[in-house]
Amino acid sequence: MASRSLLQFLSGFSRPAVGNASLRLFSSTSVCRATLQTHNVIERAPSPWTLMAAVCLQRLPVISADCSPIEQQFRQMMHQMEQEKSLLSDHELQLLEDAERMSRKQADDYDSDREDDHGDQEIVLAQDLEDSWEQKMKSFQPALRVTADADQDLTSSERCLADSLVLLAEQQVGGEPLWLLPQARWQEGETLRQTAERALASLPAGLKATFLGNAPCGVYKFKLPQAARTESTVGTKVFFFKAVLSDCGGPPAGPGGPLLWAKKGELRRYLKPAYMTKVDRFVLGL
Amino acid sequence: MSAALSRGLCRALSRHTAPSSLLLGGHHRAGLSPWFAPVMTLKTSAPLRAEPKKKKKVDPRREHMLKERMRKKLKKMEKVAPEFIPLDDLITPTKCLDETRLERSAPRLSFGESEGRALLLKEWCRYKQEQHMAEVQAVELALEAQREALEELKLESEELYQAALKPDPLLFPFTHEGPAYTPPKSKYEAPDGKYNDITKVYTQ
């Protein structure tokens, strides 16, 4: 219901008086309705560009990044300042009290009747509690932040957990294998996003992703060399769609083009320069 | 008996008033009648009839009104506004206001240290500003790339362009687990935590 109303709100810019809209609302979102109508009347000339859609699949960081030197310094300083300004907590007060009581017990003129104690009840010292907590923490082994082997393995999506990785596939383009974002050719009757989804599904590894929206995030135009140009094809336009990896799935099933996960800095090594400049813009290295 | 008395009274009164009437002149009847009238009507006036007093209808109504008013006043007094539920987080417990808590000996910072802190704060400010500017630039670049892509798509085909502009209803609500300090352990069974729930439940 909420998504429906969101749809209505977003698409009702030029038609504020839309009542109980049915699915027909999908087709009435045009900002320039006139051009659409003329398009329907005039036959569309086939464009000389072949359309392809590629998916920019990102694995977002799993652990927090290491602090830079200035960040470490600042963190230390803030910790000190906060400690200075703070008050003693209940636990710390209890510790002090216990220490005082122990020192009184050790003193020569100790009178146990004076103590307003709990009598026969066993007193649990706060220090003991603290020690038991420390023991528990030590017995728990968290997973390692950095595993050197996993970092080197380019095909595993577990490498470099602190950075966001982009999936690259080696595909045959014009006869030669090239490293690029997984792409597929557009077919009639499907939207570009569906093409991108098909491109992702065609990869051997069972990767599940959430596509972020219907609009492409970037485009790469590639003009074929003069020799290969024909009447109908001048070149290709590749539209990129962003997706976020939601599930790694099982181990890569079946052969296919090799895949690798690359950080933003490493993309330069694999992609062609012109392609790289276009891709660099929308792959955020934040 | 009363008749005889009244007649006697009449005669006495008339004898008394006769010379006065002669003096007055021709006002016999008028002089006599005021004396007569009250005597004659003595018998027939309502107070002498000795009937029980009739309770007028106004009284029960008035009493009813009075009772209603009293009842309404009582209701208003009983209608106390419901007390607000106290927010435990916003009430400072009195233990914290205790002066004896502030026992951490505040160390006196040397001049060098305080200077160092001030300089570090300034550096941090600069560092954060650079970070922010870089972020803003990156976002702008990405937006520019998207705008170009949409332009190219529009040149290509109108319907694909329209399809790209449509919002995706399945995208939201979108959730993603943020980065933690250590990566998740595979095949880790978290122990069941036992706890006593001591939250206070207030009813209004």
Side-chain angles (χ1 to χ4, degrees), chain B residues 144-160:
Chain B
E144 178 65 32
Q146 193 175 51
R147 196 187 55 81
E148 261 187 37
L150 284 171
E151 262 181 29
E152 293 282 335
L153 188 55
K154 193 162 178 190
L155 289 174
E156 280 299 305
S157 90
E158 193 59 43
E159 46 179 60
L160 284 178

Side-chain angles (χ1 to χ4, degrees), chain A residues 47 90 141 145 193 237, chain B residues 101 152 156 168 180-181 185:
Chain A
S47 92
D90 281 342
Q141 291 297 330
R145 266 167 71 89
R193 179 174 151 161
K237 276 192 189 175
Chain B
R101 280 220 166 196
E152 293 282 335
E156 280 299 305
D168 184 11
Y181 187 67
K185 261 169 115 170

Side-chain angles (χ1 to χ4, degrees), chain A residues 3 6-7 10 26 29-32 35-36 39 44 47 49 51 60-64 68 70-71 73-74 77 80-81 83-84 86-90 92-93 140-145 161 186 190-193 210-219 221 237 239 244 278 281-282 284 286, chain B residues 95-96 98 100-104 106-107 109 113 116-118 120-121 123-124 127-128 131 134-135 138-139 141-142 144-172 174 176-185 188:
Chain A
S3 60
L6 179 72
L7 186 71
L10 282 173
F26 270 91
T29 59
S30 57
V31 173
C32 38
T35 48
L36 184 66
H39 259 283
R44 244 182 306 124
S47 92
W49 301 88
L51 297 180
L60 299 175
V62 177
I63 57 172
S64 52
S68 64
I70 181 168
E71 279 178 1
Q73 270 185 309
F74 188 71
M77 190 190 79
Q80 268 175 1
M81 280 171 70
Q83 189 128 15
E84 281 162 22
S86 67
L87 300 173
L88 292 171
S89 66
D90 281 342
E92 287 182 326
L93 281 178
F140 172 73
Q141 291 297 330
L144 291 171
R145 266 167 71 89
L161 294 170
W186 175 71
E190 62 174 8
T191 62
L192 280 173
R193 179 174 151 161
T210 326
F211 275 80
L212 305 172
N214 284 325
C217 58
V219 69
K221 277 200 297 196
K237 276 192 189 175
F239 291 95
V244 169
K278 293 285 179 174
R281 293 199 299 173
F282 59 80
L284 300 171
L286 300 168
Chain B
K95 279 205 248 170
C96 292
D98 211 355
T100 56
R101 280 220 166 196
L102 192 59
E103 281 308 321
R104 240 189 262 279
L109 293 173
E113 245 192 77
R117 279 191 183 176
L120 185 57
L121 281 167
E123 256 201 65
W124 177 254
Y127 172 74
K128 270 296 182 188
Q131 223 183 35
E135 264 179 40
V139 168
L141 259 185
E144 178 65 32
Q146 193 175 51
R147 196 187 55 81
E148 261 187 37
L150 284 171
E151 262 181 29
E152 293 282 335
L153 188 55
K154 193 162 178 190
L155 289 174
E156 280 299 305
S157 90
E158 193 59 43
E159 46 179 60
L160 284 178
Y161 176 71
Q162 292 304 327
L165 285 186
K166 280 184 214 151
D168 184 11
L170 303 171
L171 180 57
F172 295 111
F174 175 72
H176 176 75
E177 290 270 327
Y181 187 67
T182 49
K185 261 169 115 170
Y188 174 68

Side-chain angles (χ1 to χ4, degrees), chain A residues 12-23:
Chain A
F13 284 131
S14 54
R15 304 267 231 89
V18 170
N20 289 327
S22 59
L23 281 173

Side-chain angles (χ1 to χ4, degrees), chain B residues 4-17 32 35-36 39-40:
Chain B
L5 207 87
S6 58
R7 257 181 259 132
L9 262 168
C10 278
R11 265 189 238 120
L13 283 165
S14 56
R15 266 191 238 130
H16 188 69
T17 56
L32 279 169
W35 287 106
F36 268 116
V39 172
M40 294 309 279

